[in-house]
Amino acid sequence: MKPTLLNKLAQLTERLDEIDRLLAVETVTSNMDNYRKLTREHAEISPVVALYRAYTQTEADMASAAGMLDDAEMQELAELEIVEGKARLQELEMQLQTELLPKDPNDERNIFLEIRAGTGGDESALFSADLFRMYTRYAERQRWKVEIISESMSELGGYKEVILKIIGRGAYSRLKFESGGHRVQRVPATETQGRIHTSACTVAVMPEADEVADVNLNPADLRIDTYRASGAGGQHINKTDSAVRITHIPTGIVVECQDDRSQHKNKAQALSVLAARIKDKQLREIAAKEAATRKSLVGSGDRSERIRTYNFPQGRITDHRINLTLYKIDAIMDGDLDELLGALATEHQAELLAAMGE
């Protein structure tokens, strides 16, 4: 193992011992913020230190076995223990490298998930609705909460645009690779001659900002307009200026929210989405700079990038970033995304490990 990794592991072991001493003090709960910080750090470090201790113990056992090689009666047993020890060390080193990979600070956050119809007209809007159902069914399987922030329906019942808030631990870590262009190939319900059409939607997954202040929203940079909501909602919603449109002047980002009867609630929701979009823009700019020097295996997340094709006649889904094809389109469209998302996460981890090796 590299000396730099061994030094890092030794430092983490010392830090865990220090945290154990701090948590053993009777007055530790008098400052609950500090107590929570310590327990969270303890939970993060403990698995790594446990692996490192297993690694050093294996090294010690191998050294002990090497000392028995001159003993004729113990030689065979010692050789076996050394062989098994080498295999165990390799396994532990790989696990330790994985544990030491840089963590994405946004991984545990809630997300805003935006789905927009692209090329393909009504069929694209219907596919947006299919993607909406796919993601909400997946969220249900994870026991996450889903809120519709904004929606714009098409005439045939699809979505021109829909914005969801998904609330659940690890939502961003599981769905962050879904940003990009999603292409569908199938015979539309409106097609009378049975011809296969190709249409597309875009998906954007954005981590929720801790606070609106997290992205430094200057009131002077905001233009806030109110207007009467359109569409369903009963008589009341159409009689008051409850809908809110916020324009972030420096970036040109516009957010509209009209789903609630309360102008105050619509404004709060719109500000949350605006903060997430600005944060997403900042993250994509950083990713673009990194991609200029090293191309990520899972893509940059650029919304114009075609990341996946859903071919209904052949019953297959292909993720173009990792060349993965699965012939289980019905299950995936019903929210069974674990195999697909797991493969993307594994490929990303391999990329990080390769970078660490360099």
Side-chain angles (χ1 to χ4, degrees):
M1 191 182 297
K2 291 183 178 180
T4 51
L5 288 181
L6 289 172
N7 288 336
K8 174 72 172 176
L9 291 164
Q11 290 171 8
L12 288 176
T13 302
E14 290 177 6
R15 176 57 181 163
L16 185 63
D17 290 339
E18 182 184 4
I19 294 172
D20 283 333
R21 289 194 296 272
L22 292 171
L23 289 174
V25 177
E26 290 184 7
T27 56
V28 66
T29 54
S30 60
N31 184 337
M32 288 305 295
D33 285 341
N34 187 55
Y35 175 72
R36 279 191 288 267
K37 182 180 177 182
L38 287 172
T39 53
R40 185 164 58 244
E41 188 179 358
H42 190 281
E44 290 173 356
I45 295 176
S46 292
V48 186
V49 174
L51 284 170
Y52 178 55
R53 285 173 174 160
Y55 184 90
T56 55
Q57 183 60 53
T58 302
E59 282 188 319
D61 292 342
M62 288 175 64
S64 177
M68 297 187 293
L69 288 174
D70 293 334
D71 187 332
E73 293 183 2
M74 302 296 293
Q75 183 178 4
E76 186 177 347
L77 181 63
E79 288 175 348
L80 178 62
E81 189 166 333
I82 289 171
V83 170
E84 290 178 347
K86 286 180 179 178
R88 176 71 173 143
L89 282 181
Q90 280 189 324
E91 181 184 340
L92 286 167
E93 183 173 349
M94 183 58 69
Q95 290 177 359
L96 281 165
Q97 286 181 346
T98 301
E99 287 290 338
L100 289 172
L101 288 175
K103 303 289 192 294
D104 187 330
N106 295 310
D107 271 353
E108 297 304 312
R109 292 180 186 266
N110 302 327
I111 62 170
F112 289 103
L113 191 149
E114 300 181 355
I115 307 170
R116 288 189 176 84
T119 54
D122 287 333
E123 168 62 8
S124 176
L126 290 172
F127 183 52
S128 289
D130 291 335
L131 291 177
F132 166 84
R133 180 180 182 275
M134 179 181 79
Y135 290 124
T136 52
R137 290 301 296 271
Y138 177 72
E140 288 170 7
R141 291 168 183 250
Q142 306 304 310
R143 300 184 184 277
W144 294 338
K145 182 180 178 183
V146 178
E147 297 176 358
I148 296 179
I149 301 299
S150 177
E151 59 183 345
S152 174
M153 305 289 292
S154 71
E155 292 180 2
L156 295 181
Y159 287 111
K160 296 177 184 176
E161 175 187 287
V162 60
I163 303 174
L164 310 175
K165 183 177 182 180
I166 298 180
I167 303 166
R169 185 173 182 181
Y172 185 70
S173 69
R174 293 297 289 167
L175 293 172
K176 62 184 175 183
F177 300 125
E178 291 302 288
S179 292
H182 294 243
R183 184 177 68 173
V184 63
Q185 295 172 328
R186 65 182 176 187
V187 179
T190 54
E191 169 61 55
T192 57
Q193 298 181 31
R195 292 174 299 186
I196 295 173
H197 287 226
T198 298
S199 55
C201 298
T202 57
V203 173
V205 178
M206 303 170 295
E208 181 185 24
D210 278 338
E211 301 287 345
V212 169
D214 190 39
V215 292
N216 192 25
L217 285 179
N218 185 342
D221 293 337
L222 304 179
R223 185 172 72 245
I224 301 177
D225 302 307
T226 58
Y227 57 98
R228 290 187 182 178
S230 60
Q235 295 180 346
H236 170 81
I237 200 167
N238 293 314
K239 289 183 178 179
T240 61
D241 290 344
S242 60
V244 175
R245 181 189 298 111
I246 301 179
T247 304
H248 187 243
I249 297 168
T251 61
I253 295 173
V254 180
V255 177
E256 298 181 3
C257 196
Q258 62 174 15
D259 278 26
D260 201 282
R261 294 185 178 187
S262 163
Q263 183 186 112
H264 177 74
K265 289 182 179 177
N266 281 331
K267 181 181 176 182
Q269 290 279 36
L271 282 170
S272 293
V273 174
L274 178 62
R277 284 189 184 173
I278 293 172
K279 188 179 184 72
D280 175 59
K281 184 175 185 292
Q282 294 168 348
L283 291 173
R284 285 188 288 113
E285 286 172 352
I286 292 170
K289 289 177 182 177
E290 291 175 350
T293 56
R294 181 177 181 86
K295 181 171 173 58
S296 171
L297 286 176
V298 295
S300 65
D302 188 280
R303 299 180 196 188
S304 64
E305 182 182 29
R306 185 195 70 187
I307 63 168
R308 192 176 299 148
T309 296
Y310 303 71
N311 187 303
F312 280 81
Q314 296 180 18
R316 65 172 170 84
I317 288 183
T318 299
D319 196 289
H320 304 290
R321 297 164 294 179
I322 57 175
N323 296 319
L324 174 68
T325 296
L326 298 173
Y327 288 88
K328 47 186 292 188
I329 195 166
D330 290 339
I332 288 173
M333 298 309 295
D334 195 42
D336 183 7
L337 295 174
D338 283 333
E339 184 177 359
L340 185 56
L341 299 179
L344 287 163
T346 299
E347 199 77 10
H348 180 57
Q349 189 178 83
E351 163 81 354
L352 292 176
L353 284 170
M356 181 183 286
E358 294 175 358

